[in-house]
Amino acid sequence: MKNHLLPICLLLVGCMPGAMPDQASRAAQPAAMSTLPPLKSFARPTPARPGRSNADIARDFLELAFRLESGRDLPVLTRFEEPISIRVTGAAPPTLLPDLSKLVYRLNTEARLKVTLTSSPDANITVQAVSRAQIRKALPHAACFVVPNITDISQYRAARRSSKANWGLLRKRNKMAVFVPNDAAPQEVRDCLHEELAQAIGPLNDLYRLPDSVFNDDNIHTVLTGFDMLILRAYYAPELQNGMTRRQVAARLPAILARLNPAGEAIPARRPLPTPRSYIRAIQTALGPGSSYTQRRAAAREALNVSQALGFQDHRRAFAHYAMGRLLAASDPEAALGHFQAADRFYAASNHTSLHRAYVASQLAAHALSQGDANGTLAIVNRAIPVASRNENAALLATLMMLRAEALTLSGRASEASTVRLDSLGWARYGFGADWAVRAKMREIGALNPLKG
């Protein structure tokens, strides 16, 4: 289940946390109705190969495959018998099928799975496009979700009261339903496809300790990474079978990973500490829906306290600082800046967190722009823009480009600024959706420019 965490690249310094309107109306507009440049999309993925040891990846695999996000253990491995067929039902937005086709191609070429698209009602996986209101009615805190043994969202309530939707009782996978929003921005729909199909096909758990994966509830990575493709490929290795226990899989996993990822054999294991439920709950409260501002701040402080007490020096410590910075941005900008700078320092210590730093860069650049520091803003965003593009994050890319345009304006390079701003709009349409949302983002960033504010 993809959780409703506050979109971490949408709110900049000076904006009230959680003050953005309901995203349900951020759906993309038909081209004929839009007055902005054509919507852009990423042509070719460039995922990096996993750069961690096979010993650590084996541990990650076992925790992903044999545990639910709730922390409940699963007794056996379950998967589909290939080939896997996928169909689309409901009122699908125009970007859904192209993005799904790209994902299916990647699953075939990178994860080496046999996945096909079909219109048959007998498909293994049904992707149903429904409204966000329907999704919230079923699961209030979910942006999208996957359920076994049903094909339509109307069947969910009854299935939930029975054993049909109980993952712990599965012994193999036959049918799955993935529910995605049809009235959200194209990027959100695509992100849901990546995360929910990955869980429909493979592991069900998320781990906050993973720096390079969509199997992480921090929502930093939103398209399947090289690590994720390796996990899915190992999940369907011929050495594994439905019904195998954790111990049986653990015995075969080292040889599987040595065959699929020989470079990982030479990398020393790091064995990062597990993430306690107290940290997970704190982050979900700090950035999720349904809590007051005071409760969010207390939760972010709790996440920081937990990470400090456990001696975390990785992206989890950084993310706690980032969450605190986000929540302090309106009431105490200088304290917020300190937390963003701390987050950047922790992220900078790892080779696996360049995308994380790009998110923080949007906050640091916004602050530099608001202080009239055009050169500092440009230095920050110029490093982050290629990272956002390489990771196919149009919302972040558009935000950084708009910041760059304002910094160019501030430095007297008006013609160059106009070109960058115009180029950002196609990415913004994919990342934010409707014209009003794109224009709101432009106004928000423009207001940071001292020449306009």
Side-chain angles (χ1 to χ4, degrees), residues 363-383:
Q363 304 288 349
L364 297 176
H367 183 272
L369 178 64
S370 71
Q371 300 303 303
D373 184 0
N375 290 335
T377 303
L378 290 171
I380 294 168
V381 298
N382 287 344
R383 289 193 299 268

Side-chain angles (χ1 to χ4, degrees), residues 26 90 107 126 153 189 246 255 271 335 338 342 351 357 379 418:
R26 287 179 176 265
L107 291 171
T126 297
I153 199 166
V189 179
R246 180 177 179 133
R271 296 183 178 86
N351 294 326
R357 291 194 76 193
S418 179

Side-chain angles (χ1 to χ4, degrees), residues 55-68 73-74 77 203 205 207 209 231 235 240 245-254 257:
D56 284 336
I57 294 173
R59 177 186 172 209
D60 297 336
F61 182 101
L62 293 171
E63 291 194 32
L64 288 170
F66 288 94
R67 187 167 296 161
L68 296 173
D73 288 338
L74 292 169
L77 182 82
N205 195 12
L207 296 173
R209 73 164 181 263
I231 291 293
Y235 205 86
L240 304 182
T245 64
R246 180 177 179 133
R247 180 174 295 181
Q248 290 171 322
V249 171
R252 301 190 184 188
L253 204 49
L257 291 174

Side-chain angles (χ1 to χ4, degrees), residues 36 402 425 428-429 432-442:
L36 296 177
M402 290 178 187
L425 296 180
R429 286 193 62 201
F432 301 124
D435 283 11
W436 72 262
V438 175
R439 296 186 192 282
K441 176 54 60 177
M442 289 180 65

Side-chain angles (χ1 to χ4, degrees), residues 9 21 58 72 77 89 99 126 151 173 187 196 224 269 273 282 290 365 369 413 416 420 437:
C9 68
R72 183 161 62 97
L77 182 82
T89 65
D99 281 339
T126 297
T151 58
R173 302 188 192 184
Q187 179 168 311
E196 303 309 326
L224 291 173
L273 291 171
L369 178 64
R413 298 153 69 181
E416 192 176 349
V420 173

